[in-house]
PDB file of all heavy atoms in Angstrom:
ATOM      1  N   MET A   1     -94.453  64.660 -33.877  1.00 81.00           N
ATOM      2  CA  MET A   1     -94.731  64.896 -32.463  1.00 81.00           C
ATOM      3  C   MET A   1     -94.578  63.631 -31.642  1.00 81.00           C
ATOM      4  O   MET A   1     -94.134  63.662 -30.491  1.00 81.00           O
ATOM      5  CB  MET A   1     -96.140  65.482 -32.296  1.00 81.00           C
ATOM      6  CG  MET A   1     -96.310  66.893 -32.831  1.00 81.00           C
ATOM      7  SD  MET A   1     -95.261  68.100 -32.000  1.00 81.00           S
ATOM      8  CE  MET A   1     -94.101  68.537 -33.271  1.00 81.00           C
ATOM      9  N   GLY A   2     -94.919  62.488 -32.247  1.00 87.00           N
ATOM     10  CA  GLY A   2     -94.768  61.222 -31.535  1.00 87.00           C
ATOM     11  C   GLY A   2     -93.325  60.915 -31.239  1.00 87.00           C
ATOM     12  O   GLY A   2     -92.955  60.459 -30.149  1.00 87.00           O
ATOM     13  N   ARG A   3     -92.450  61.157 -32.250  1.00 83.00           N
ATOM     14  CA  ARG A   3     -91.031  60.905 -32.027  1.00 83.00           C
ATOM     15  C   ARG A   3     -90.451  61.899 -31.025  1.00 83.00           C
ATOM     16  O   ARG A   3     -89.547  61.557 -30.256  1.00 83.00           O
ATOM     17  CB  ARG A   3     -90.279  60.998 -33.365  1.00 83.00           C
ATOM     18  CG  ARG A   3     -90.721  60.007 -34.426  1.00 83.00           C
ATOM     19  CD  ARG A   3     -90.462  58.545 -34.113  1.00 83.00           C
ATOM     20  NE  ARG A   3     -91.285  57.948 -33.076  1.00 83.00           N
ATOM     21  CZ  ARG A   3     -92.542  57.555 -33.236  1.00 83.00           C
ATOM     22  NH1 ARG A   3     -93.149  57.695 -34.396  1.00 83.00           N
ATOM     23  NH2 ARG A   3     -93.196  56.974 -32.236  1.00 83.00           N
ATOM     24  N   ARG A   4     -90.960  63.128 -31.057  1.00 82.00           N
ATOM     25  CA  ARG A   4     -90.515  64.140 -30.084  1.00 82.00           C
ATOM     26  C   ARG A   4     -90.862  63.679 -28.673  1.00 82.00           C
ATOM     27  O   ARG A   4     -90.053  63.761 -27.753  1.00 82.00           O
ATOM     28  CB  ARG A   4     -91.198  65.466 -30.406  1.00 82.00           C
ATOM     29  CG  ARG A   4     -90.809  66.629 -29.503  1.00 82.00           C
ATOM     30  CD  ARG A   4     -91.594  67.873 -29.934  1.00 82.00           C
ATOM     31  NE  ARG A   4     -91.058  69.070 -29.326  1.00 82.00           N
ATOM     32  CZ  ARG A   4     -91.447  69.558 -28.150  1.00 82.00           C
ATOM     33  NH1 ARG A   4     -92.356  68.940 -27.448  1.00 82.00           N
ATOM     34  NH2 ARG A   4     -90.911  70.681 -27.691  1.00 82.00           N
ATOM     35  N   MET A   5     -92.105  63.183 -28.503  1.00 90.00           N
ATOM     36  CA  MET A   5     -92.531  62.715 -27.194  1.00 90.00           C
ATOM     37  C   MET A   5     -91.694  61.517 -26.760  1.00 90.00           C
ATOM     38  O   MET A   5     -91.238  61.454 -25.604  1.00 90.00           O
ATOM     39  CB  MET A   5     -94.022  62.331 -27.252  1.00 90.00           C
ATOM     40  CG  MET A   5     -94.578  61.809 -25.924  1.00 90.00           C
ATOM     41  SD  MET A   5     -94.396  60.022 -25.713  1.00 90.00           S
ATOM     42  CE  MET A   5     -95.680  59.423 -26.824  1.00 90.00           C
ATOM     43  N   GLU A   6     -91.473  60.569 -27.662  1.00 91.00           N
ATOM     44  CA  GLU A   6     -90.726  59.356 -27.303  1.00 91.00           C
ATOM     45  C   GLU A   6     -89.308  59.679 -26.864  1.00 91.00           C
ATOM     46  O   GLU A   6     -88.820  59.130 -25.874  1.00 91.00           O
ATOM     47  CB  GLU A   6     -90.714  58.392 -28.501  1.00 91.00           C
ATOM     48  CG  GLU A   6     -90.130  57.039 -28.188  1.00 91.00           C
ATOM     49  CD  GLU A   6     -90.315  56.045 -29.317  1.00 91.00           C
ATOM     50  OE1 GLU A   6     -91.369  56.061 -29.972  1.00 91.00           O
ATOM     51  OE2 GLU A   6     -89.385  55.251 -29.542  1.00 91.00           O
ATOM     52  N   THR A   7     -88.656  60.595 -27.581  1.00 85.00           N
ATOM     53  CA  THR A   7     -87.295  60.984 -27.213  1.00 85.00           C
ATOM     54  C   THR A   7     -87.287  61.688 -25.852  1.00 85.00           C
ATOM     55  O   THR A   7     -86.406  61.459 -25.027  1.00 85.00           O
ATOM     56  CB  THR A   7     -86.678  61.924 -28.270  1.00 85.00           C
ATOM     57  OG1 THR A   7     -86.733  61.256 -29.549  1.00 85.00           O
ATOM     58  CG2 THR A   7     -85.245  62.279 -27.934  1.00 85.00           C
ATOM     59  N   GLY A   8     -88.295  62.533 -25.631  1.00 88.00           N
ATOM     60  CA  GLY A   8     -88.401  63.224 -24.338  1.00 88.00           C
ATOM     61  C   GLY A   8     -88.592  62.266 -23.199  1.00 88.00           C
ATOM     62  O   GLY A   8     -87.990  62.398 -22.135  1.00 88.00           O
ATOM     63  N   VAL A   9     -89.449  61.246 -23.391  1.00 94.00           N
ATOM     64  CA  VAL A   9     -89.730  60.278 -22.330  1.00 94.00           C
ATOM     65  C   VAL A   9     -88.488  59.484 -21.970  1.00 94.00           C
ATOM     66  O   VAL A   9     -88.151  59.317 -20.797  1.00 94.00           O
ATOM     67  CB  VAL A   9     -90.887  59.332 -22.716  1.00 94.00           C
ATOM     68  CG1 VAL A   9     -91.005  58.178 -21.726  1.00 94.00           C
ATOM     69  CG2 VAL A   9     -92.199  60.097 -22.751  1.00 94.00           C
ATOM     70  N   ILE A  10     -87.781  58.958 -22.986  1.00 93.00           N
ATOM     71  CA  ILE A  10     -86.596  58.151 -22.667  1.00 93.00           C
ATOM     72  C   ILE A  10     -85.530  59.009 -21.990  1.00 93.00           C
ATOM     73  O   ILE A  10     -84.770  58.543 -21.138  1.00 93.00           O
ATOM     74  CB  ILE A  10     -86.038  57.394 -23.893  1.00 93.00           C
ATOM     75  CG1 ILE A  10     -84.967  56.400 -23.445  1.00 93.00           C
ATOM     76  CG2 ILE A  10     -85.512  58.329 -24.940  1.00 93.00           C
ATOM     77  CD1 ILE A  10     -84.431  55.511 -24.535  1.00 93.00           C
ATOM     78  N   ALA A  11     -85.461  60.303 -22.358  1.00 89.00           N
ATOM     79  CA  ALA A  11     -84.506  61.207 -21.706  1.00 89.00           C
ATOM     80  C   ALA A  11     -84.852  61.371 -20.247  1.00 89.00           C
ATOM     81  O   ALA A  11     -83.971  61.385 -19.366  1.00 89.00           O
ATOM     82  CB  ALA A  11     -84.502  62.551 -22.418  1.00 89.00           C
ATOM     83  N   VAL A  12     -86.151  61.507 -19.933  1.00 93.00           N
ATOM     84  CA  VAL A  12     -86.594  61.623 -18.540  1.00 93.00           C
ATOM     85  C   VAL A  12     -86.265  60.340 -17.785  1.00 93.00           C
ATOM     86  O   VAL A  12     -85.746  60.366 -16.654  1.00 93.00           O
ATOM     87  CB  VAL A  12     -88.111  61.913 -18.477  1.00 93.00           C
ATOM     88  CG1 VAL A  12     -88.630  61.756 -17.045  1.00 93.00           C
ATOM     89  CG2 VAL A  12     -88.397  63.328 -18.977  1.00 93.00           C
ATOM     90  N   LEU A  13     -86.566  59.192 -18.375  1.00 95.00           N
ATOM     91  CA  LEU A  13     -86.297  57.909 -17.716  1.00 95.00           C
ATOM     92  C   LEU A  13     -84.801  57.719 -17.464  1.00 95.00           C
ATOM     93  O   LEU A  13     -84.402  57.150 -16.448  1.00 95.00           O
ATOM     94  CB  LEU A  13     -86.835  56.759 -18.578  1.00 95.00           C
ATOM     95  CG  LEU A  13     -88.349  56.742 -18.821  1.00 95.00           C
ATOM     96  CD1 LEU A  13     -88.750  55.545 -19.665  1.00 95.00           C
ATOM     97  CD2 LEU A  13     -89.126  56.748 -17.495  1.00 95.00           C
ATOM     98  N   ALA A  14     -83.970  58.211 -18.395  1.00 93.00           N
ATOM     99  CA  ALA A  14     -82.522  58.097 -18.220  1.00 93.00           C
ATOM    100  C   ALA A  14     -82.057  58.954 -17.056  1.00 93.00           C
ATOM    101  O   ALA A  14     -81.193  58.540 -16.261  1.00 93.00           O
ATOM    102  CB  ALA A  14     -81.806  58.506 -19.495  1.00 93.00           C
ATOM    103  N   GLN A  15     -82.591  60.171 -16.924  1.00 92.00           N
ATOM    104  CA  GLN A  15     -82.224  61.012 -15.799  1.00 92.00           C
ATOM    105  C   GLN A  15     -82.614  60.379 -14.484  1.00 92.00           C
ATOM    106  O   GLN A  15     -81.937  60.544 -13.467  1.00 92.00           O
ATOM    107  CB  GLN A  15     -82.919  62.388 -15.934  1.00 92.00           C
ATOM    108  CG  GLN A  15     -82.366  63.266 -17.044  1.00 92.00           C
ATOM    109  CD  GLN A  15     -81.059  63.921 -16.620  1.00 92.00           C
ATOM    110  OE1 GLN A  15     -81.006  64.704 -15.693  1.00 92.00           O
ATOM    111  NE2 GLN A  15     -79.985  63.570 -17.314  1.00 92.00           N
ATOM    112  N   LEU A  16     -83.729  59.639 -14.495  1.00 95.00           N
ATOM    113  CA  LEU A  16     -84.194  58.951 -13.278  1.00 95.00           C
ATOM    114  C   LEU A  16     -83.464  57.637 -13.027  1.00 95.00           C
ATOM    115  O   LEU A  16     -83.563  57.080 -11.932  1.00 95.00           O
ATOM    116  CB  LEU A  16     -85.702  58.641 -13.410  1.00 95.00           C
ATOM    117  CG  LEU A  16     -86.672  59.826 -13.445  1.00 95.00           C
ATOM    118  CD1 LEU A  16     -88.032  59.368 -13.912  1.00 95.00           C
ATOM    119  CD2 LEU A  16     -86.764  60.475 -12.055  1.00 95.00           C
ATOM    120  N   ARG A  17     -82.796  57.114 -14.061  1.00 95.00           N
ATOM    121  CA  ARG A  17     -82.240  55.763 -14.024  1.00 95.00           C
ATOM    122  C   ARG A  17     -83.347  54.766 -13.663  1.00 95.00           C
ATOM    123  O   ARG A  17     -83.169  53.862 -12.841  1.00 95.00           O
ATOM    124  CB  ARG A  17     -81.055  55.678 -13.046  1.00 95.00           C
ATOM    125  CG  ARG A  17     -79.964  56.703 -13.347  1.00 95.00           C
ATOM    126  CD  ARG A  17     -78.723  56.535 -12.506  1.00 95.00           C
ATOM    127  NE  ARG A  17     -78.974  56.492 -11.061  1.00 95.00           N
ATOM    128  CZ  ARG A  17     -79.266  57.558 -10.316  1.00 95.00           C
ATOM    129  NH1 ARG A  17     -79.336  58.775 -10.873  1.00 95.00           N
ATOM    130  NH2 ARG A  17     -79.448  57.437  -9.025  1.00 95.00           N
ATOM    131  N   ALA A  18     -84.491  54.962 -14.280  1.00 97.00           N
ATOM    132  CA  ALA A  18     -85.688  54.157 -13.971  1.00 97.00           C
ATOM    133  C   ALA A  18     -85.536  52.748 -14.537  1.00 97.00           C
ATOM    134  O   ALA A  18     -85.056  52.560 -15.657  1.00 97.00           O
ATOM    135  CB  ALA A  18     -86.930  54.821 -14.552  1.00 97.00           C
ATOM    136  N   LYS A  19     -85.976  51.763 -13.752  1.00 98.00           N
ATOM    137  CA  LYS A  19     -85.835  50.355 -14.160  1.00 98.00           C
ATOM    138  C   LYS A  19     -87.192  49.662 -14.083  1.00 98.00           C
ATOM    139  O   LYS A  19     -87.838  49.618 -13.044  1.00 98.00           O
ATOM    140  CB  LYS A  19     -84.833  49.652 -13.237  1.00 98.00           C
ATOM    141  CG  LYS A  19     -84.516  48.225 -13.687  1.00 98.00           C
ATOM    142  CD  LYS A  19     -83.431  47.621 -12.787  1.00 98.00           C
ATOM    143  CE  LYS A  19     -83.016  46.247 -13.277  1.00 98.00           C
ATOM    144  NZ  LYS A  19     -81.934  45.667 -12.441  1.00 98.00           N
ATOM    145  N   ARG A  20     -87.608  49.117 -15.246  1.00 98.00           N
ATOM    146  CA  ARG A  20     -88.856  48.354 -15.338  1.00 98.00           C
ATOM    147  C   ARG A  20     -88.728  47.427 -16.523  1.00 98.00           C
ATOM    148  O   ARG A  20     -87.839  47.573 -17.374  1.00 98.00           O
ATOM    149  CB  ARG A  20     -90.064  49.276 -15.546  1.00 98.00           C
ATOM    150  CG  ARG A  20     -90.569  50.009 -14.310  1.00 98.00           C
ATOM    151  CD  ARG A  20     -91.247  49.050 -13.367  1.00 98.00           C
ATOM    152  NE  ARG A  20     -91.900  49.743 -12.251  1.00 98.00           N
ATOM    153  CZ  ARG A  20     -91.346  49.986 -11.069  1.00 98.00           C
ATOM    154  NH1 ARG A  20     -90.082  49.618 -10.851  1.00 98.00           N
ATOM    155  NH2 ARG A  20     -92.024  50.588 -10.104  1.00 98.00           N
ATOM    156  N   ASN A  21     -89.668  46.469 -16.648  1.00 98.00           N
ATOM    157  CA  ASN A  21     -89.791  45.736 -17.906  1.00 98.00           C
ATOM    158  C   ASN A  21     -90.765  46.565 -18.758  1.00 98.00           C
ATOM    159  O   ASN A  21     -91.985  46.366 -18.712  1.00 98.00           O
ATOM    160  CB  ASN A  21     -90.330  44.327 -17.679  1.00 98.00           C
ATOM    161  CG  ASN A  21     -90.295  43.469 -18.941  1.00 98.00           C
ATOM    162  OD1 ASN A  21     -90.528  43.989 -20.033  1.00 98.00           O
ATOM    163  ND2 ASN A  21     -90.029  42.204 -18.791  1.00 98.00           N
ATOM    164  N   TRP A  22     -90.217  47.507 -19.495  1.00 98.00           N
ATOM    165  CA  TRP A  22     -91.030  48.444 -20.285  1.00 98.00           C
ATOM    166  C   TRP A  22     -91.803  47.704 -21.377  1.00 98.00           C
ATOM    167  O   TRP A  22     -92.916  48.094 -21.741  1.00 98.00           O
ATOM    168  CB  TRP A  22     -90.147  49.521 -20.916  1.00 98.00           C
ATOM    169  CG  TRP A  22     -89.250  50.191 -19.915  1.00 98.00           C
ATOM    170  CD1 TRP A  22     -87.900  49.988 -19.749  1.00 98.00           C
ATOM    171  CD2 TRP A  22     -89.646  51.113 -18.877  1.00 98.00           C
ATOM    172  NE1 TRP A  22     -87.442  50.748 -18.697  1.00 98.00           N
ATOM    173  CE2 TRP A  22     -88.465  51.440 -18.161  1.00 98.00           C
ATOM    174  CE3 TRP A  22     -90.852  51.695 -18.522  1.00 98.00           C
ATOM    175  CZ2 TRP A  22     -88.486  52.334 -17.079  1.00 98.00           C
ATOM    176  CZ3 TRP A  22     -90.872  52.592 -17.448  1.00 98.00           C
ATOM    177  CH2 TRP A  22     -89.699  52.890 -16.741  1.00 98.00           C
ATOM    178  N   HIS A  23     -91.259  46.599 -21.825  1.00 98.00           N
ATOM    179  CA  HIS A  23     -91.912  45.793 -22.855  1.00 98.00           C
ATOM    180  C   HIS A  23     -93.237  45.225 -22.332  1.00 98.00           C
ATOM    181  O   HIS A  23     -94.261  45.268 -23.050  1.00 98.00           O
ATOM    182  CB  HIS A  23     -90.995  44.644 -23.300  1.00 98.00           C
ATOM    183  CG  HIS A  23     -91.669  43.669 -24.205  1.00 98.00           C
ATOM    184  ND1 HIS A  23     -91.942  43.949 -25.527  1.00 98.00           N
ATOM    185  CD2 HIS A  23     -92.141  42.403 -23.990  1.00 98.00           C
ATOM    186  CE1 HIS A  23     -92.538  42.905 -26.086  1.00 98.00           C
ATOM    187  NE2 HIS A  23     -92.674  41.963 -25.169  1.00 98.00           N
ATOM    188  N   ARG A  24     -93.230  44.721 -21.107  1.00 97.00           N
ATOM    189  CA  ARG A  24     -94.452  44.131 -20.552  1.00 97.00           C
ATOM    190  C   ARG A  24     -95.534  45.188 -20.393  1.00 97.00           C
ATOM    191  O   ARG A  24     -96.733  44.898 -20.553  1.00 97.00           O
ATOM    192  CB  ARG A  24     -94.148  43.457 -19.213  1.00 97.00           C
ATOM    193  CG  ARG A  24     -93.376  42.152 -19.367  1.00 97.00           C
ATOM    194  CD  ARG A  24     -94.273  41.046 -19.868  1.00 97.00           C
ATOM    195  NE  ARG A  24     -93.507  39.971 -20.492  1.00 97.00           N
ATOM    196  CZ  ARG A  24     -94.053  38.924 -21.080  1.00 97.00           C
ATOM    197  NH1 ARG A  24     -95.366  38.835 -21.175  1.00 97.00           N
ATOM    198  NH2 ARG A  24     -93.298  38.010 -21.622  1.00 97.00           N
ATOM    199  N   ILE A  25     -95.141  46.400 -20.074  1.00 97.00           N
ATOM    200  CA  ILE A  25     -96.131  47.491 -19.970  1.00 97.00           C
ATOM    201  C   ILE A  25     -96.656  47.818 -21.360  1.00 97.00           C
ATOM    202  O   ILE A  25     -97.873  47.962 -21.560  1.00 97.00           O
ATOM    203  CB  ILE A  25     -95.497  48.742 -19.306  1.00 97.00           C
ATOM    204  CG1 ILE A  25     -95.015  48.387 -17.890  1.00 97.00           C
ATOM    205  CG2 ILE A  25     -96.518  49.880 -19.258  1.00 97.00           C
ATOM    206  CD1 ILE A  25     -94.198  49.505 -17.232  1.00 97.00           C
ATOM    207  N   MET A  26     -95.763  47.919 -22.347  1.00 96.00           N
ATOM    208  CA  MET A  26     -96.175  48.233 -23.706  1.00 96.00           C
ATOM    209  C   MET A  26     -97.122  47.157 -24.266  1.00 96.00           C
ATOM    210  O   MET A  26     -98.062  47.470 -25.023  1.00 96.00           O
ATOM    211  CB  MET A  26     -94.945  48.359 -24.612  1.00 96.00           C
ATOM    212  CG  MET A  26     -95.218  48.723 -26.055  1.00 96.00           C
ATOM    213  SD  MET A  26     -95.952  50.380 -26.258  1.00 96.00           S
ATOM    214  CE  MET A  26     -94.500  51.422 -26.056  1.00 96.00           C
ATOM    215  N   ARG A  27     -96.938  45.913 -23.853  1.00 95.00           N
ATOM    216  CA  ARG A  27     -97.805  44.831 -24.336  1.00 95.00           C
ATOM    217  C   ARG A  27     -99.273  45.026 -23.919  1.00 95.00           C
ATOM    218  O   ARG A  27    -100.188  44.558 -24.600  1.00 95.00           O
ATOM    219  CB  ARG A  27     -97.314  43.464 -23.836  1.00 95.00           C
ATOM    220  CG  ARG A  27     -96.023  42.989 -24.477  1.00 95.00           C
ATOM    221  CD  ARG A  27     -95.680  41.583 -24.034  1.00 95.00           C
ATOM    222  NE  ARG A  27     -96.608  40.615 -24.615  1.00 95.00           N
ATOM    223  CZ  ARG A  27     -96.404  39.973 -25.746  1.00 95.00           C
ATOM    224  NH1 ARG A  27     -95.286  40.175 -26.440  1.00 95.00           N
ATOM    225  NH2 ARG A  27     -97.300  39.114 -26.201  1.00 95.00           N
ATOM    226  N   GLU A  28     -99.489  45.723 -22.822  1.00 94.00           N
ATOM    227  CA  GLU A  28    -100.855  46.014 -22.387  1.00 94.00           C
ATOM    228  C   GLU A  28    -101.611  46.788 -23.463  1.00 94.00           C
ATOM    229  O   GLU A  28    -102.806  46.608 -23.635  1.00 94.00           O
ATOM    230  CB  GLU A  28    -100.859  46.798 -21.068  1.00 94.00           C
ATOM    231  CG  GLU A  28    -100.253  46.049 -19.886  1.00 94.00           C
ATOM    232  CD  GLU A  28    -100.161  46.951 -18.652  1.00 94.00           C
ATOM    233  OE1 GLU A  28    -100.909  47.938 -18.571  1.00 94.00           O
ATOM    234  OE2 GLU A  28     -99.326  46.668 -17.780  1.00 94.00           O
ATOM    235  N   TRP A  29    -100.882  47.634 -24.178  1.00 94.00           N
ATOM    236  CA  TRP A  29    -101.514  48.473 -25.205  1.00 94.00           C
ATOM    237  C   TRP A  29    -101.463  47.845 -26.596  1.00 94.00           C
ATOM    238  O   TRP A  29    -102.387  48.013 -27.385  1.00 94.00           O
ATOM    239  CB  TRP A  29    -100.838  49.850 -25.248  1.00 94.00           C
ATOM    240  CG  TRP A  29    -100.799  50.535 -23.926  1.00 94.00           C
ATOM    241  CD1 TRP A  29    -101.829  50.639 -23.029  1.00 94.00           C
ATOM    242  CD2 TRP A  29     -99.674  51.190 -23.325  1.00 94.00           C
ATOM    243  NE1 TRP A  29    -101.409  51.325 -21.905  1.00 94.00           N
ATOM    244  CE2 TRP A  29    -100.093  51.689 -22.066  1.00 94.00           C
ATOM    245  CE3 TRP A  29     -98.356  51.411 -23.725  1.00 94.00           C
ATOM    246  CZ2 TRP A  29     -99.248  52.387 -21.203  1.00 94.00           C
ATOM    247  CZ3 TRP A  29     -97.504  52.111 -22.880  1.00 94.00           C
ATOM    248  CH2 TRP A  29     -97.954  52.591 -21.628  1.00 94.00           C
ATOM    249  N   VAL A  30    -100.388  47.119 -26.876  1.00 94.00           N
ATOM    250  CA  VAL A  30    -100.228  46.558 -28.217  1.00 94.00           C
ATOM    251  C   VAL A  30    -100.952  45.209 -28.369  1.00 94.00           C
ATOM    252  O   VAL A  30    -101.529  44.930 -29.411  1.00 94.00           O
ATOM    253  CB  VAL A  30     -98.737  46.407 -28.568  1.00 94.00           C
ATOM    254  CG1 VAL A  30     -98.551  45.741 -29.937  1.00 94.00           C
ATOM    255  CG2 VAL A  30     -98.051  47.778 -28.560  1.00 94.00           C
ATOM    256  N   TYR A  31    -100.937  44.407 -27.289  1.00 93.00           N
ATOM    257  CA  TYR A  31    -101.536  43.065 -27.370  1.00 93.00           C
ATOM    258  C   TYR A  31    -102.722  42.864 -26.450  1.00 93.00           C
ATOM    259  O   TYR A  31    -103.262  41.762 -26.376  1.00 93.00           O
ATOM    260  CB  TYR A  31    -100.481  42.007 -27.045  1.00 93.00           C
ATOM    261  CG  TYR A  31     -99.322  41.984 -28.009  1.00 93.00           C
ATOM    262  CD1 TYR A  31     -98.093  42.551 -27.663  1.00 93.00           C
ATOM    263  CD2 TYR A  31     -99.449  41.407 -29.273  1.00 93.00           C
ATOM    264  CE1 TYR A  31     -97.020  42.541 -28.532  1.00 93.00           C
ATOM    265  CE2 TYR A  31     -98.378  41.388 -30.158  1.00 93.00           C
ATOM    266  CZ  TYR A  31     -97.182  41.965 -29.794  1.00 93.00           C
ATOM    267  OH  TYR A  31     -96.110  41.949 -30.660  1.00 93.00           O
ATOM    268  N   ALA A  32    -103.122  43.899 -25.713  1.00 91.00           N
ATOM    269  CA  ALA A  32    -104.201  43.787 -24.722  1.00 91.00           C
ATOM    270  C   ALA A  32    -103.879  42.741 -23.655  1.00 91.00           C
ATOM    271  O   ALA A  32    -104.762  42.046 -23.156  1.00 91.00           O
ATOM    272  CB  ALA A  32    -105.535  43.472 -25.410  1.00 91.00           C
ATOM    273  N   ASP A  33    -102.590  42.611 -23.300  1.00 93.00           N
ATOM    274  CA  ASP A  33    -102.182  41.689 -22.240  1.00 93.00           C
ATOM    275  C   ASP A  33    -102.702  42.159 -20.895  1.00 93.00           C
ATOM    276  O   ASP A  33    -103.035  43.337 -20.715  1.00 93.00           O
ATOM    277  CB  ASP A  33    -100.652  41.618 -22.176  1.00 93.00           C
ATOM    278  CG  ASP A  33    -100.062  40.689 -23.231  1.00 93.00           C
ATOM    279  OD1 ASP A  33    -100.809  40.243 -24.128  1.00 93.00           O
ATOM    280  OD2 ASP A  33     -98.832  40.444 -23.186  1.00 93.00           O
ATOM    281  N   GLU A  34    -102.722  41.238 -19.955  1.00 92.00           N
ATOM    282  CA  GLU A  34    -103.088  41.603 -18.589  1.00 92.00           C
ATOM    283  C   GLU A  34    -102.058  42.561 -18.007  1.00 92.00           C
ATOM    284  O   GLU A  34    -100.898  42.589 -18.438  1.00 92.00           O
ATOM    285  CB  GLU A  34    -103.146  40.329 -17.727  1.00 92.00           C
ATOM    286  CG  GLU A  34    -104.312  39.413 -18.042  1.00 92.00           C
ATOM    287  CD  GLU A  34    -105.662  40.106 -17.844  1.00 92.00           C
ATOM    288  OE1 GLU A  34    -105.873  40.668 -16.746  1.00 92.00           O
ATOM    289  OE2 GLU A  34    -106.472  40.100 -18.782  1.00 92.00           O
ATOM    290  N   PRO A  35    -102.444  43.381 -17.043  1.00 94.00           N
ATOM    291  CA  PRO A  35    -101.517  44.359 -16.452  1.00 94.00           C
ATOM    292  C   PRO A  35    -100.237  43.691 -15.973  1.00 94.00           C
ATOM    293  O   PRO A  35    -100.259  42.620 -15.369  1.00 94.00           O
ATOM    294  CB  PRO A  35    -102.304  44.952 -15.298  1.00 94.00           C
ATOM    295  CG  PRO A  35    -103.742  44.770 -15.670  1.00 94.00           C
ATOM    296  CD  PRO A  35    -103.796  43.495 -16.446  1.00 94.00           C
ATOM    297  N   ALA A  36     -99.123  44.373 -16.222  1.00 93.00           N
ATOM    298  CA  ALA A  36     -97.799  43.808 -15.901  1.00 93.00           C
ATOM    299  C   ALA A  36     -97.281  44.252 -14.546  1.00 93.00           C
ATOM    300  O   ALA A  36     -96.336  43.656 -14.027  1.00 93.00           O
ATOM    301  CB  ALA A  36     -96.806  44.203 -16.989  1.00 93.00           C
ATOM    302  N   THR A  37     -97.848  45.300 -13.984  1.00 97.00           N
ATOM    303  CA  THR A  37     -97.351  45.837 -12.711  1.00 97.00           C
ATOM    304  C   THR A  37     -98.545  46.197 -11.829  1.00 97.00           C
ATOM    305  O   THR A  37     -99.690  46.219 -12.252  1.00 97.00           O
ATOM    306  CB  THR A  37     -96.516  47.109 -12.940  1.00 97.00           C
ATOM    307  OG1 THR A  37     -97.376  48.145 -13.446  1.00 97.00           O
ATOM    308  CG2 THR A  37     -95.381  46.882 -13.925  1.00 97.00           C
TER     309      THR A  37
END
């Protein structure tokens, strides 16, 4: 289910042509970094 969700999300982002530093956002959850946006 996790891989299903991940594929669905990137497909949505591709349709939007969304642009962000997705890594910096992910670091908030993986490394408890300060908010990136």
